[in-house]
Amino acid sequence: MTVLGCIADDFTGATDLAGLLARSGVRVRLHTGLPEAAPGADTAAFEVIALKIRTAPVEVAVAEARAALDWLKRAGATRFFWKYCSTFDSTAKGNIGPVAEALMADLGIGGTIYCPAFPENGRRVFMGNLFVQQQPLAESPMKDHPLTPMRDSNLMRLLEPQVTAPVHLADRTQVALGAAALRARIDALMGEGRAHVVVDAVDNGDLRVVAEACRDMVLMTGGSALAMPLPSLYLADGTLSADAEKAAKPVLGRGAVVLSGSASAMTNAQVADYLGRGGPALQLDPLDLAENGHGAGLDWLAAQDLARAPLIYATAKPDRVRAVQETLGVEKAGAIVEAALAALAVRARDLGASRIVVAGGETSGAVTKALGVTQMDIGPEIAPGVPWCFCRSGGYQIALTLKSGNFGKVSFFADALGLLEVA
Ligand SMILES: Nc1ncnc2c1ncn2[C@@H]1O[C@H](COP(=O)(O)OP(=O)(O)O)[C@@H](O)[C@H]1O
Ligand SMILES: O=C(O)[C@@H](O)C(=O)COP(=O)(O)O
């Protein structure tokens, strides 16, 4: 029986959430996209549905999230988690707020909480302001994100234009009073009407207090780290019985490929590190892709020794990305790169790559869809929030890791490839 039904707004975010829940040893099942079949009798305690709605039009995002909620309800879930990015990636239109309000309406509830903090990756919320390492969000590299540039650090100001009900803050002084006092404060802030409450958290201890205070709420929203304590809280209070079924480790071949479509500061550093190791690499130029398609990339890939894990990347510095976007438009530039990397992933798999490393949230969504992956088991964690996932694609058993642009150490690509045993 499903205890918690989770909806994630992108694919990297979903593997992040599933990986953190799975740390507890409970069974977590990840669906990429809305499952076609109705829930069966074998639902996992934690079911995660990965959508690709972070930058979708609001109506599309809301419709898909509501369909996912309906599936999770039919799986037996009575509590739900809406997972968005730890850097609150969204625009004034949404989609964090509109999806939360649609879920609240469908669940018949008046309020929910918002806490994107992910301290292990340097995301902390203090007095309603989101920090990335030591920088306020709007001064961090997220200010230059190609699709959702974050130009304000204050979560209340970011959320207000996205919702119709009032936005409040339960700050760290209230979190410091412990779970019971915090819950009383949140309930008071929510009052009788509809309301949204941003909650501070600067470390995992704070997140445990917030999770403990809110664990029986019908809907919680936040980053993966807020959900992380829930399995142990549910095990402790008997909501969940111990169920430590783990994913079986598949035998994988030596072929691998690294596909990078993230333009984040961290991914730029990771690409530079991997290039420095001297393996085969191909840089994609979006302007060239727009004019000539990605046939040349497919030919290049076919000539590579996949045991050397070639890197194919569109990753570029912000000024280069901006120049491309000015020529092609933001959406078209993104779509062209995503389509090329998705096609290259399919070709790499068909050529024998059984370990596929993908960098970038939108990119991961495009690649996973093209590979026809519908369900994944969670394997070992390469870095906080980035597990290897095992799945089937086109008749092949593969391992896929979907790395958020900002996650992982500089050596992430080599770390990932070094972690799994190959035949
Ligand atoms: N050189 C480039 N020029 C323009 N757009 C790019 C370039 N490289 C990547 N992109 C696009 O930028 C977006 C990056 O988003 P995403 O994959 O979600 O990465 P992140 O995880 O860093 O947010 C994608 O749509 C991708 O196709
Ligand atoms: O919460 C996070 O930071 C991640 O799980 C996440 O959502 C990453 O999104 P991308 O940076 O777009 O990969």
Side-chain angles (χ1 to χ4, degrees):
M1 172 69 92
T2 301
V3 173
L4 188 72
C6 308
I7 302 169
D9 69 349
D10 83 347
F11 285 36
T12 39
T15 59
D16 168 12
L17 174 65
L20 262 56
L21 290 167
R23 276 185 189 177
S24 62
V26 297
R27 183 163 167 233
V28 182
R29 188 159 51 184
L30 174 54
H31 305 269
T32 50
L34 185 68
E36 276 175 19
D42 64 333
T43 58
F46 293 81
E47 293 274 341
V48 180
I49 297 183
L51 299 177
K52 190 176 182 304
I53 56 171
R54 187 169 292 171
T55 54
V58 177
E59 331 69 75
V60 174
V62 164
E64 290 194 21
R66 293 184 64 202
L69 177 71
D70 182 58
W71 191 94
L72 293 165
K73 277 184 182 165
R74 285 187 284 129
T78 50
R79 294 173 198 173
F80 303 88
F81 195 91
W82 165 222
K83 155 73 177 73
Y84 40 78
C85 193
S86 62
T87 42
F88 215 69
D89 300 15
S90 53
T91 66
K93 288 189 188 147
N95 291 327
I96 294 174
V99 167
E101 288 202 330
L103 299 179
M104 281 160 60
D106 283 4
L107 291 166
I109 55 169
T112 188
I113 60 157
Y114 295 77
C115 187
F118 192 168
E120 285 176 70
N121 278 312
R123 279 75 156 152
R124 302 168 204 277
V125 184
F126 185 65
M127 297 300 157
N129 291 283
L130 181 55
F131 291 82
V132 176
Q133 308 297 351
Q134 293 183 337
Q135 290 174 309
L137 176 66
E139 291 169 34
S140 78
M142 284 307 295
K143 68 182 186 313
D144 296 316
H145 190 277
L147 305 176
T148 48
M150 300 307 289
R151 302 279 161 81
D152 196 344
S153 309
N154 184 283
L155 293 174
M156 284 83 73
R157 274 200 306 265
L158 287 166
L159 188 57
E160 259 153 16
Q162 300 185 29
V163 291
T164 56
V167 179
H168 304 291
L169 170 67
D171 73 31
R172 187 149 194 258
T173 60
Q174 285 130 13
V175 175
L177 297 175
L182 175 65
R183 181 53 186 266
R185 176 70 184 153
I186 290 172
D187 286 346
L189 286 169
M190 283 183 185
E192 296 301 311
R194 286 163 65 243
H196 306 272
V197 182
V198 171
V199 187
D200 276 357
V202 304
D203 57 24
N204 279 347
D206 289 347
L207 284 168
R208 196 171 169 90
V209 171
V210 181
E212 197 178 337
C214 301
R215 65 172 182 230
D216 65 342
M217 277 187 179
V218 175
L219 176 68
M220 289 166 72
T221 87
S224 55
L226 173 61
M228 184 171 65
L230 292 174
S232 68
L233 289 167
Y234 293 158
L235 282 167
D237 71 11
T239 307
L240 183 67
S241 55
D243 167 13
E245 190 181 331
K246 286 275 191 186
K249 264 199 214 157
V251 178
L252 299 161
R254 297 186 62 77
V257 69
V258 180
L259 301 167
S260 181
S262 158
S264 73
M266 182 45 90
T267 307
N268 268 283
Q270 289 161 340
V271 165
D273 174 88
Y274 198 69
L275 290 174
R277 293 169 194 257
L282 174 71
Q283 181 169 23
L284 299 177
D285 172 4
L287 298 180
D288 179 54
L289 292 174
E291 213 170 303
N292 303 311
H294 48 255
L298 295 174
D299 293 344
W300 180 87
L301 184 61
Q304 301 309 307
D305 172 6
L306 293 182
R308 296 184 68 208
L311 163 68
I312 303 174
Y313 64 105
T315 304
K317 296 277 162 50
D319 51 349
R320 179 73 198 133
V321 173
R322 259 193 304 275
V324 166
Q325 290 179 331
E326 271 160 26
T327 310
L328 297 177
V330 175
E331 267 176 44
K332 188 170 173 203
I336 285 172
V337 171
E338 288 172 36
L341 288 170
L344 285 156
V346 174
R347 179 62 60 88
R349 177 202 66 192
D350 293 344
L351 290 167
S354 61
R355 289 167 298 151
I356 303 181
V357 179
V358 189
E362 295 296 322
T363 309
S364 293
V367 166
T368 310
K369 281 193 175 175
L371 287 172
V373 171
T374 55
Q375 208 166 299
M376 304 202 254
D377 286 325
I378 307 304
E381 219 175 337
I382 305 154
V386 202
W388 271 111
C389 302
F390 303 126
C391 52
R392 293 201 68 79
S393 165
Y396 301 92
Q397 173 69 55
I398 62 165
L400 193 58
T401 182
L402 310 178
K403 187 195 80 74
S404 151
N406 298 299
F407 286 0
K409 289 192 295 197
V410 165
S411 55
F412 178 84
F413 297 146
D415 295 347
L417 294 166
L419 195 62
L420 294 181
E421 280 169 36
V422 290

